[in-house]
Amino acid sequence: MRILFLTILFILAVDARENPFAPTQTYEEKKTQMLKELYEKEALEQEKAKFIIAQEKAEKQNLKEEEFVELEIQPKKISPFKIKEGCKESYDFLPLSFVKVKTSEDNIQFHLSDNYKLINQDILVDRNKFVFDFEADLIFYTKREKLCHSYFKSFAIGNHPKQRYFRIVVELSDKVSSYKENLDIKNSILTIYRKAPAK
């Protein structure tokens, strides 16, 4: 009887050792590694989600605080040198740290501080506007400026951080066919000028 009991006990012990469903050390190590990777992935996703939420919040604040910001930080205007019917035809603006805007009698120029790549250009004929999109990874509040100029009504520089570009929009006082645009890539200068009327 004792021998039979010991034999059964030995068989059960061997079976338990060879049981394919019993967790092994390798399984436990892989399980730990998988859980670690899953945790790191979730942590990364949470950081991405926080970043996206922060960007969306900044965009919403941009819409709500845009007028307040523009009133608080007015672009610096330097040395107007021509006055026509109470309007200044020539300005120097510094609306943002990376762009300077200059107007003269027949043109408006945007001097960019870096060689940003032009990725899109559009002409809104029905709205008398030129649109230029430049590739850049920037975050800033939209800047708008109404101009007292014979040929240019206003300009705006808007930010699209998710799509990684910023946009320059110039509103004209006349139909777009009366104007011509030029981009000096070497010097990073965008110029829109009024064409001389045909004789």
Side-chain angles (χ1 to χ4, degrees), residues 36-91:
K36 183 181 176 183
E37 288 175 1
L38 182 63
Y39 174 78
E40 288 175 352
K41 186 178 178 182
E42 286 180 356
L44 184 62
E45 291 296 326
Q46 287 177 0
E47 287 300 316
K48 285 182 180 177
K50 285 179 184 177
F51 180 73
I52 290 169
I53 289 169
Q55 278 191 326
E56 289 175 350
K57 186 177 179 182
E59 286 177 3
K60 287 178 182 176
Q61 285 179 341
N62 184 15
L63 293 174
K64 291 178 182 176
E65 299 175 8
E66 189 173 291
E67 292 181 7
F68 170 78
V69 171
E70 288 180 354
L71 287 172
E72 186 181 46
I73 309 171
Q74 285 291 337
K76 191 176 180 182
K77 301 174 186 179
I78 308 166
S79 64
F81 61 81
K82 182 172 180 181
I83 298 176
K84 186 176 183 180
E85 296 178 1
C87 290
K88 297 174 184 177
E89 295 291 297
S90 299
Y91 293 96

Side-chain angles (χ1 to χ4, degrees), residues 80-142:
F81 61 81
K82 182 172 180 181
I83 298 176
K84 186 176 183 180
E85 296 178 1
C87 290
K88 297 174 184 177
E89 295 291 297
S90 299
Y91 293 96
D92 282 353
F93 296 89
L94 191 62
L96 294 158
S97 62
F98 62 92
V99 61
K100 182 179 182 180
V101 184
K102 298 175 89 174
T103 66
S104 63
E105 187 174 352
D106 65 348
N107 70 67
I108 184 169
Q109 289 187 332
F110 297 85
H111 296 250
L112 307 175
S113 64
D114 201 353
N115 192 9
Y116 297 109
K117 182 181 176 184
L118 180 68
I119 56 174
N120 181 54
Q121 180 178 344
D122 202 2
I123 298 173
L124 307 180
V125 177
D126 58 330
R127 295 163 66 184
N128 298 330
K129 289 183 179 181
F130 280 102
V131 178
F132 304 89
D133 295 334
F134 292 89
E135 186 176 36
D137 193 8
L138 298 169
I139 296 177
F140 60 89
Y141 287 121
T142 297

Side-chain angles (χ1 to χ4, degrees), residues 10-20:
F10 177 76
I11 291 169
L12 289 173
V14 170
D15 182 59
R17 250 185 220 180
E18 296 177 355
N19 183 357

Side-chain angles (χ1 to χ4, degrees), residues 150-165:
S150 298
Y151 302 136
F152 306 101
K153 291 177 75 173
S154 67
F155 71 83
I157 306 172
N159 186 25
H160 299 268
K162 287 184 181 178
Q163 292 78 23
R164 302 183 74 175
Y165 73 90

Side-chain angles (χ1 to χ4, degrees), residues 27-43:
Y27 169 82
E28 291 295 339
E29 288 173 358
K30 285 186 177 180
K31 181 181 175 183
T32 303
Q33 182 64 27
M34 287 173 64
L35 288 172
K36 183 181 176 183
E37 288 175 1
L38 182 63
Y39 174 78
E40 288 175 352
K41 186 178 178 182
E42 286 180 356

